[in-house]
Amino acid sequence: MKFAMIGAGAMGLRYGILLQEAGNDVTFIDTWQPHIDKIREQGGVYQMRDHKDRHLVKIKLETPESYNGDPDMLIFFTKQMQLNDYLKRCSHFFNDKQYAFTCMNGMGHIEKLQKYFADDKIIGGTALIATVLPGPGEVDFMGKRGAGKLNMCPLTEKPDEMTHRLFDELQKADMNPTLTDDFTGTLMTKVIFNSVINTICTMFEIPMGEFGNFPGAADMARQLIDEAYDICARADIHLVSSRKEELHAIDINTRIDMPLHYPSMYQDMTKDRPTEVDYINGYIANLGRQYHYEAKTHLFMTQAVHLAEFHRQNL
Ligand code: NAD
């Protein structure tokens, strides 16, 4: 299958390199000039796994303006606030046969994709995997080969032939896909998961295990989960996990699965980049407003992360 990875950051590189190794034709498209320059100078990307086995992987890299290919599937892995710019700059090679797939965190991206792609060409998903971009031209895949998993669901909730082909390619690439049958429920369940772990670990600049092992972690998580689940019930969003299962997933993920990992939101803040908090806790709080529910904790968390960003800007 012919793929274009829109955004060749940590996740774009991980998905793209694994799909390339599984035999697909992959082109990476990026706009961050120091990264583009480094990849061209090196003749590829240096890939590691858990900081070890650093080796060069050759990739095809283009900018939105230089690319003129016709991929079957575009995979979007930008940060939420970068997506509009990427869509605008890439739109010259979009056509109505192409599919758009994304496992970006947060919410807000689907509406933006819908401005360029028909609903029956959009496949959404969520990625439970940790990947780090230590600097331009370098990517670190955290976890062993086959680590992590992803959920995917077409926006129509009716998987077609291309959905199944994508699923098969992701499976061949050892990415452990699961096809779900509720689009919004799948995405929102991950938004709630991130609204606990990403936000708290970023605010305190701590690895996930430090939060998971904190005796008050379950109470903090439960408060955020309860608000978000109350809002989703009002919005008629059917989450794919119960409150108890979400709490359990957060506990296992932080304490057992990835105790040493810092979430991607932390990585942005410590590189003085804006975080995605407005698209995670901020999104939940805004959704609450539409249903006359004041998500006080999510609002507070959104501002607390902005305060942490503000503090770093003034260092
Ligand atoms: P990323 O920041 O690594 O890359 C996104 C874009 O930002 C790329 O175009 C990249 O070249 C550019 N970029 C990277 N560092 C930059 C810098 N210092 N200055 C300017 N531009 C820079 O993002 P990602 O981690 O690949 O995340 C993409 C999406 O996937 C996000 O929604 C994220 O929340 C989600 N996600 C990430 C992970 C993870 O472990 N990284 C896991 C699950 C979901």
Side-chain angles (χ1 to χ4, degrees), residues 230-242:
D230 287 351
I231 291 165
C232 288
R234 283 164 173 75
D236 204 22
I237 295 171
H238 303 278
L239 296 163
V240 297
S241 309
S242 66

Side-chain angles (χ1 to χ4, degrees), residues 195-246:
S195 78
V196 178
I197 302 178
N198 289 35
T199 315
I200 294 174
C201 294
T202 300
M203 219 161 64
F204 290 100
E205 301 192 18
I206 53 174
M208 284 159 45
E210 210 166 319
F211 169 64
N213 285 309
F214 168 57
D219 284 342
M220 290 174 84
R222 199 175 292 110
Q223 187 165 332
L224 288 161
I225 289 171
D226 278 343
E227 271 186 8
Y229 272 65
D230 287 351
I231 291 165
C232 288
R234 283 164 173 75
D236 204 22
I237 295 171
H238 303 278
L239 296 163
V240 297
S241 309
S242 66
R243 294 177 196 227
K244 207 171 151 195
E245 285 164 348
E246 187 86 334

Side-chain angles (χ1 to χ4, degrees), residues 7-12 30 32 35 77-79 82 86 103-105 127 129-131 133 190 261 264 268 271 273 276:
M11 292 295 278
D30 208 79
W32 184 29
H35 193 43
F77 265 128
T78 69
K79 288 282 158 58
Q82 300 171 312
Y86 265 96
C103 285
M104 285 163 54
N105 282 336
I129 200 166
T131 313
L133 202 65
K190 177 76 186 323
H261 181 66
S264 54
D268 288 334
K271 286 179 186 153
R273 298 177 71 201
E276 294 180 301

Side-chain angles (χ1 to χ4, degrees), residues 76-263:
F76 289 86
F77 265 128
T78 69
K79 288 282 158 58
Q80 286 279 350
M81 43 283 183
Q82 300 171 312
L83 183 59
N84 267 338
D85 180 54
Y86 265 96
L87 283 165
K88 214 159 110 194
R89 291 173 63 175
C90 292
S91 60
H92 67 94
F93 61 78
F94 295 167
N95 64 51
D96 56 12
K97 289 189 213 68
Q98 291 161 342
Y99 281 68
F101 173 54
T102 180
C103 285
M104 285 163 54
N105 282 336
M107 279 298 237
H109 53 317
I110 303 302
E111 292 87 330
K112 291 176 190 134
L113 289 175
Q114 281 177 297
K115 292 197 179 130
Y116 295 86
F117 300 93
D119 286 3
D120 64 355
K121 295 283 187 282
I122 297 176
I123 305 171
T126 58
L128 202 63
I129 200 166
T131 313
V132 176
L133 202 65
E138 307 238 339
V139 63
D140 198 347
F141 294 4
M142 311 310 287
K144 295 189 192 83
R145 189 170 174 106
K149 52 190 176 182
L150 69 95
N151 285 329
M152 56 186 276
C153 184
L155 180 54
T156 57
E157 297 176 348
K158 292 183 186 74
D160 61 1
E161 196 204 326
M162 271 299 263
T163 311
H164 289 292
R165 278 182 65 195
L166 173 65
F167 178 92
D168 291 345
E169 293 307 329
L170 293 166
Q171 200 163 45
K172 270 193 247 161
D174 270 344
M175 296 167 83
N176 306 317
T178 299
L179 201 51
T180 65
D181 56 12
D182 191 310
F183 184 84
T184 309
T186 299
L187 269 56
M188 276 306 288
T189 305
K190 177 76 186 323
V191 171
I192 298 169
F193 178 91
N194 289 133
S195 78
V196 178
I197 302 178
N198 289 35
T199 315
I200 294 174
C201 294
T202 300
M203 219 161 64
F204 290 100
E205 301 192 18
I206 53 174
M208 284 159 45
E210 210 166 319
F211 169 64
N213 285 309
F214 168 57
D219 284 342
M220 290 174 84
R222 199 175 292 110
Q223 187 165 332
L224 288 161
I225 289 171
D226 278 343
E227 271 186 8
Y229 272 65
D230 287 351
I231 291 165
C232 288
R234 283 164 173 75
D236 204 22
I237 295 171
H238 303 278
L239 296 163
V240 297
S241 309
S242 66
R243 294 177 196 227
K244 207 171 151 195
E245 285 164 348
E246 187 86 334
L247 191 60
H248 181 67
I250 288 169
D251 177 47
I252 298 297
N253 199 258
T254 53
R255 273 190 320 106
I256 318 277
D257 292 347
M258 293 197 250
L260 302 178
H261 181 66
Y262 290 89

